[in-house]
Amino acid sequence: MLSEATKARFDRELAKYPADQRQSAVMACLAIVQQEQGWVSPEAEQAVAESQKKTKSRQELGRNERFEQISPEVGQLDEEALEDAMKDDPDETLALLERLGRRKHVSLELGIQSFEDATLEWLDRGHDGRCSIEALERLRRLAPSVHVCAHLIFGSPTDSPGMPEQAARILNESGVKGVKLHQLMVLQHTELARRWKEEGPFPVLSLEDYSARVGRFLEYLDPGIYIERLNALSSHAEECIAPEWSRYRWEPHNFMRQYFAQNGIRQGSRLS
């Protein structure tokens, strides 16, 4: 007989693979049996085979219970579990989040980064702008109680001049509650750093140019959408290749506040 703890370990191994490839976890599950029981009996082999057949229903039940029985003290859902649940049954997962959102505050952050296909391709994001728009529409329809926060990156060389206004107008109609903004940064040990080195430096935004783009975005953004972040800080300054101002916390913050004040920039001021 396999203990519930052993079956739970099987589930974690099986969850690493798509549903049609879970046979790849057989050796890992057998190793767990060997580790816990000292040998692998024919009964144990059969139990491993049976666990693969039953794991989907057990995972779905466990996922529902985890979402439905979350205590008020819990502040964050497990990102990997949520990602797996979205792959298995996105509509049911969103329905669960909606039920949870009616009882307590639930915030879901989406790394949209851009709605422009040229930029998404340059960033190698693996999705296009229509995909993000459809995801936002699905969230608004199936999980309206969930507070969605959209992440955007300004400063890719492929950004069009109208990108900030376009992004703001799309978000205004999307139902998102918040926005986090991020300048394009080149950090050591990343794919962008490799391209910077092998293909040559590409243009990055000065602090003034970035402030201008953020200001343009804010002027077209609905005042009802809150701003969680105006720019990002390189957590390890020594790993920041460009732009150099990303290494500092308060200089960009103070510069943007002064820039907005001097240029009369207010959120939603250009909306008719």
Side-chain angles (χ1 to χ4, degrees):
M1 289 290 292
L2 299 178
S3 68
E4 289 303 313
T6 299
K7 293 177 182 178
R9 291 184 67 184
F10 284 180
D11 286 349
R12 287 195 291 272
E13 292 298 327
L14 290 160
K16 296 176 182 178
Y17 299 91
D20 60 345
Q21 298 178 25
R22 285 176 177 161
Q23 68 273 14
S24 301
V26 167
M27 293 306 297
C29 292
L30 291 174
I32 291 171
V33 174
Q34 173 78 25
Q35 187 182 76
E36 296 191 355
Q37 299 186 2
W39 71 301
V40 180
S41 65
E43 292 78 13
E45 291 181 355
Q46 183 61 33
V48 169
E50 289 298 321
S51 72
Q52 289 194 316
K53 298 177 183 178
K54 297 177 181 178
T55 185
K56 185 173 182 181
S57 61
R58 190 161 60 244
Q59 285 177 335
E60 288 175 349
L61 174 62
R63 183 169 66 243
N64 288 355
E65 290 174 346
R66 285 198 299 274
F67 280 114
E68 296 291 353
Q69 298 178 8
I70 292 173
S71 70
E73 290 77 21
V74 173
Q76 183 173 348
L77 299 178
D78 180 77
E79 182 178 351
E80 185 175 349
L82 182 59
E83 183 178 352
D84 289 342
M86 288 294 288
K87 289 178 181 177
D88 290 344
D89 193 339
D91 285 357
E92 174 61 17
T93 304
L94 292 179
L96 288 167
L97 288 175
E98 171 61 15
R99 292 198 290 273
L100 184 61
R102 292 174 184 173
R103 303 201 307 265
K104 59 193 72 178
H105 178 83
V106 176
S107 178
L108 183 64
E109 302 201 0
L110 294 183
I112 293 169
Q113 316 311 358
S114 177
F115 292 104
E116 296 191 334
D117 290 347
T119 292
L120 292 168
E121 183 177 354
W122 189 85
L123 291 171
D124 197 20
R125 291 290 301 172
H127 64 86
D128 58 16
R130 169 48 55 182
C131 179
S132 295
I133 293 172
E134 290 176 352
L136 290 169
E137 291 174 348
R138 199 173 194 174
L139 277 163
R140 181 171 58 177
R141 176 169 50 88
L142 298 177
S145 299
V146 173
H147 286 239
V148 178
C149 180
H151 290 226
L152 294 175
I153 292 177
F154 290 170
S156 298
T158 49
D159 285 352
S160 73
M163 181 269 198
E165 178 182 343
Q166 176 214 35
R169 291 189 181 278
I170 292 174
L171 293 179
N172 290 346
E173 301 299 322
S174 71
V176 302
K177 303 296 193 299
V179 175
K180 282 187 178 180
L181 304 181
H182 192 309
Q183 72 274 22
L184 181 75
M185 285 194 290
V186 183
L187 303 175
Q188 292 180 13
H189 316 300
T190 65
E191 174 63 16
L192 279 184
R194 183 196 65 77
R195 290 163 61 180
W196 180 278
K197 180 179 179 180
E198 296 180 3
E199 302 170 12
F202 41 81
V204 293
L205 294 179
S206 68
L207 180 52
E208 183 171 0
D209 287 341
Y210 179 77
S211 300
R213 293 198 191 187
V214 172
R216 187 74 172 175
F217 172 79
L218 292 177
E219 288 178 324
Y220 284 97
L221 187 68
D222 190 318
I225 298 175
Y226 57 81
I227 308 297
E228 290 196 10
R229 183 179 65 199
L230 286 173
N231 67 288
L233 170 71
S234 173
S235 54
H236 299 282
E238 68 279 4
E239 295 183 359
C240 180
I241 298 174
E244 191 268 343
W245 56 266
S246 300
R247 302 178 182 185
Y248 308 106
R249 181 182 301 276
W250 292 110
E251 286 87 339
H253 174 83
N254 293 333
F255 182 93
M256 280 191 283
R257 289 190 62 179
Q258 184 177 19
Y259 182 92
F260 296 159
Q262 290 175 344
N263 291 275
I265 292 171
R266 292 180 294 106
Q267 186 172 342
S269 61
R270 289 184 179 270
L271 292 175
S272 56

